[in-house]
Amino acid sequence: MRILRNLIFPFLMGTATLASALELPAILSENMVLQQQTEVKLWGWAEKGLTVTAGASWTGETVKTQVGEDGRWTLRLKTPEASYELHEVWIADGKDTLRRKEVLVGEVWFCSGQSNMQMPLHGFWTQPIEGANEVIAHARSYYNKIRMATIPTQDGLYPQEKVGGEWKQSTTETLPEFSAVGFFFAEELNQLLDVPIGIINCSWGGSCVEGWLPREVLETYSDIDLSEARLTKSGDYTRPLVMYNGMISPLAGYTVRGFAWNQGESNVGRHNTYPARLGKMVEIWRELWENNNLPFYMVEIPPHDYSDSKATNAAFLREAQHKAADEIPLCGIISTSDLSKPYEADVIHASIKKPIGLRLAWMAAVRTYGLKGIECESPTYKSMKVRPDGKVVLEFNNGKDGLNPRTNLQGFEIAGKDRVFHPAQGTTEYDENNWGAPIIVVWSKKVKEPVAVRYCFHNWMPGKEWNQRGLPLVPFRTDDWDK
């Protein structure tokens, strides 16, 4: 039935939006969190020609607009500084008045991607979230501090106007269904900023980046099938276009501070196109939200065997993610190379989610909110040189106080001109010629004349090296042999 409705949507669009009674989208529900100190967007439907007025308990001023011929209206309402004070927002059209109570003003983030963002605190079947029961048991601690709107998965052949997803308070009954990454992100932001945090969880498990892009962009990609047969294939979460139409279009413009993105697994094997397409997605989303300065913080895909733990197709996607983060303005990425347990090689949903939320929050705290003293950037590869004794010296960014452990390093591999990589030994040293800057020296008795080094550059090879603040070394390669 859903597909049938989408197929006939263009023919009904002229009349489907016309309303005889005042109506608001589901996202403008009671318990909503509004972005502080800005003009938030309010919109909905009413009888054409009527005047819609909106106001709020924090101000004596009102805003007005006239309902258009299509039955739609849009308003901008100024919001105060964030606080835990409960507010009320009201909208009236001269016939009806709608009131939204228990409203908070704070910081709002739009969290999206695939199943590792969608994954609730309760977990998936046989795949738990570490520490979830304690978090859920302490729900009262987050009441009126953290709220979440979970958007149901909805596809669309054409841009939709409406989608479900009402705001929920933090209770022992609601928390199990909150996005785990989204919740831990919100929890840390609340601790750091001491303001209410609202999370919109708009995710679809298994979705590709192409699923979150509009038709006019996808039509320029020769490898994308936009046929009706492809787009209406029931149960196929890898379809292009349909998430954008069904879930982004109805929500676009709900005023937020920024985006958090946890996706990439379903684009493994197509790393060459990922940076440009993700960059285009961010560009379009910012246009839809009418704010080119919205930050976009993303999560590196974690280790997973993808049926072959020694293969490198996932490693190439991680590399592409970091390339995208470097190319996209106001973008950052956090590494998860160390967040998989030894027995989780074949588990696409690793149980350790809290550090992901923490690292995202630290990045937002530093880059968006300007907090000092917090580190949010993982160490990354900078340069290499080969000593006369055949050992390789590696330098890194964001590792000024040294990497650890210092000895018995794991995850490093060295290759000679034959391009065959061998496990390497390594140790952390200090470069006397560079003011004592920390370096890593690696070597292998099987490689006399090394030309390339890789670190954790496989589908499954969890990270074993961190900086002084516990942020993991980003997997890397020094060669460009494989594309």
Side-chain angles (χ1 to χ4, degrees):
M1 290 298 293
R2 179 192 299 165
I3 291 174
L4 178 61
R5 287 198 299 271
N6 292 338
L7 286 171
I8 64 176
F9 180 79
F11 305 102
L12 297 178
M13 190 156 45
T15 59
T17 57
L18 296 180
S20 58
L22 181 63
E23 182 182 356
L24 296 175
I27 194 68
L28 295 179
S29 70
E30 293 199 347
N31 295 310
M32 63 181 166
V33 183
L34 297 176
Q35 179 60 42
Q36 67 166 323
Q37 295 179 303
T38 187
E39 291 187 347
V40 297
K41 179 182 176 181
L42 305 177
W43 74 97
W45 303 268
E47 183 179 333
K48 67 177 182 179
L50 293 181
T51 297
V52 173
T53 304
S57 57
W58 61 76
T59 178
E61 298 180 358
T62 59
V63 289
K64 298 180 179 181
T65 191
Q66 192 170 31
V67 182
E69 289 295 316
D70 59 356
R72 288 180 58 91
W73 56 266
T74 301
L75 287 170
R76 296 280 180 177
L77 184 66
K78 290 183 179 180
T79 53
E81 184 178 359
S83 74
Y84 296 106
E85 181 181 354
L86 295 175
H87 296 286
E88 179 178 315
V89 174
W90 58 267
I91 300 97
D93 67 355
K95 293 185 175 181
D96 301 307
T97 299
L98 299 178
R99 298 184 182 277
R100 295 295 183 256
K101 301 178 181 179
E102 304 291 312
V103 175
L104 285 173
V105 176
E107 291 293 304
V108 183
W109 285 80
F110 191 91
C111 296
S112 188
Q114 56 184 108
S115 57
N116 274 303
M117 180 64 85
Q118 185 182 34
M119 189 177 189
L121 278 165
H122 177 67
F124 293 139
W125 187 74
T126 74
Q127 298 172 76
I129 298 294
E130 186 176 70
N133 206 45
E134 181 179 3
V135 170
I136 293 166
H138 294 169
R140 180 176 292 275
S141 302
Y142 316 112
Y143 198 78
N144 283 338
K145 292 183 177 181
I146 298 171
R147 297 178 180 178
M148 189 173 296
T150 302
I151 310 305
T153 56
Q154 172 181 286
D155 57 7
L157 290 183
Y158 303 93
Q160 305 295 296
E161 286 200 324
K162 300 175 184 179
V163 69
E166 296 183 346
W167 288 90
K168 301 294 184 182
Q169 271 278 17
S170 293
T171 70
T172 54
E173 293 180 329
T174 61
L175 274 185
E177 300 308 316
F178 279 19
S179 159
V181 169
F183 174 83
F184 290 126
F185 174 56
E187 180 186 31
E188 185 71 356
L189 279 182
N190 175 254
Q191 290 291 316
L192 293 172
L193 305 176
D194 194 22
V195 299
I197 305 296
I199 299 292
I200 300 173
N201 174 24
C202 182
S203 310
W204 190 320
S207 58
C208 303
V209 68
E210 292 85 359
W212 302 92
L213 283 165
R215 181 180 293 271
E216 59 267 26
V217 172
L218 295 169
E219 287 175 340
T220 68
Y221 302 149
S222 60
D223 61 312
I224 299 300
D225 180 4
L226 292 173
S227 67
E228 183 178 312
R230 170 72 170 122
L231 298 180
T232 58
K233 190 175 180 181
S234 179
D236 186 353
Y237 45 73
T238 66
R239 288 173 293 165
L241 177 65
V242 297
M243 293 82 189
Y244 175 88
N245 283 340
M247 300 171 72
I248 295 299
S249 291
L251 295 173
Y254 187 98
T255 309
V256 299
R257 174 65 75 182
F259 303 109
W261 176 254
N262 193 344
Q263 188 276 337
E265 290 89 344
S266 289
N267 280 86
V268 167
R270 292 177 288 154
H271 52 273
N272 287 330
T273 59
Y274 192 80
R277 294 182 183 182
L278 183 67
K280 178 56 69 172
M281 189 198 81
V282 175
E283 176 186 335
I284 289 170
W285 285 18
R286 286 171 173 164
E287 289 176 357
L288 288 173
W289 266 263
E290 299 178 4
N291 187 345
N292 290 327
N293 294 317
L294 290 175
F296 186 89
Y297 301 135
M298 53 196 288
V299 179
E300 176 191 278
I301 62 171
H304 180 68
D305 67 4
Y306 293 93
S307 301
D308 185 352
S309 61
K310 293 298 183 181
T312 55
N313 49 334
F316 286 124
L317 195 282
R318 294 185 197 103
E319 185 179 69
Q321 288 183 300
H322 285 270
K323 180 181 179 182
D326 289 339
E327 294 177 348
I328 299 171
L330 299 175
C331 182
I333 183 170
I334 60 116
S335 180
T336 63
S337 63
D338 60 331
L339 300 182
S340 294
K341 296 183 177 180
Y343 57 82
E344 292 182 324
D346 63 345
V347 177
I348 195 67
H349 307 112
S351 60
I352 304 174
K353 290 290 187 281
K354 185 168 185 175
I356 299 176
L358 295 179
R359 291 171 187 177
L360 282 170
W362 296 337
M363 183 161 282
V366 174
R367 292 194 175 193
T368 300
Y369 299 107
L371 272 64
K372 305 297 184 182
I374 302 171
E375 288 194 13
C376 67
E377 309 287 349
S378 276
T380 58
Y381 167 74
K382 181 179 180 181
S383 66
M384 69 166 279
K385 63 181 179 181
V386 181
R387 287 178 177 174
D389 61 1
K391 294 183 177 181
V392 179
V393 177
L394 301 168
E395 291 187 282
F396 300 92
N397 303 302
N398 308 318
K400 61 182 177 64
D401 293 316
L403 302 180
N404 67 90
R406 294 182 59 183
T407 59
N408 300 318
L409 306 189
Q410 301 179 50
F412 290 90
E413 297 175 295
I414 292 182
K417 293 180 181 179
D418 61 0
R419 300 188 178 187
V420 177
F421 283 90
H422 299 273
Q425 296 176 272
T427 184
T428 298
E429 299 181 7
Y430 292 89
D431 187 355
E432 296 179 356
N433 298 319
N434 189 23
W435 298 99
I439 57 177
I440 285 179
V441 179
V442 293
W443 67 92
S444 172
K445 293 180 180 180
K446 295 182 178 181
V447 182
K448 301 301 182 183
E449 297 181 359
V451 298
V453 176
R454 291 183 175 184
Y455 170 74
C456 292
F457 206 79
H458 292 283
N459 290 354
W460 171 260
M461 185 177 277
K464 301 291 185 180
E465 198 75 12
W466 296 266
N467 70 3
Q468 192 79 349
R469 295 288 184 88
L471 298 177
L473 175 61
V474 172
F476 69 87
R477 59 173 176 152
T478 67
D479 64 275
D480 61 356
W481 293 336
D482 303 308
K483 301 297 183 182

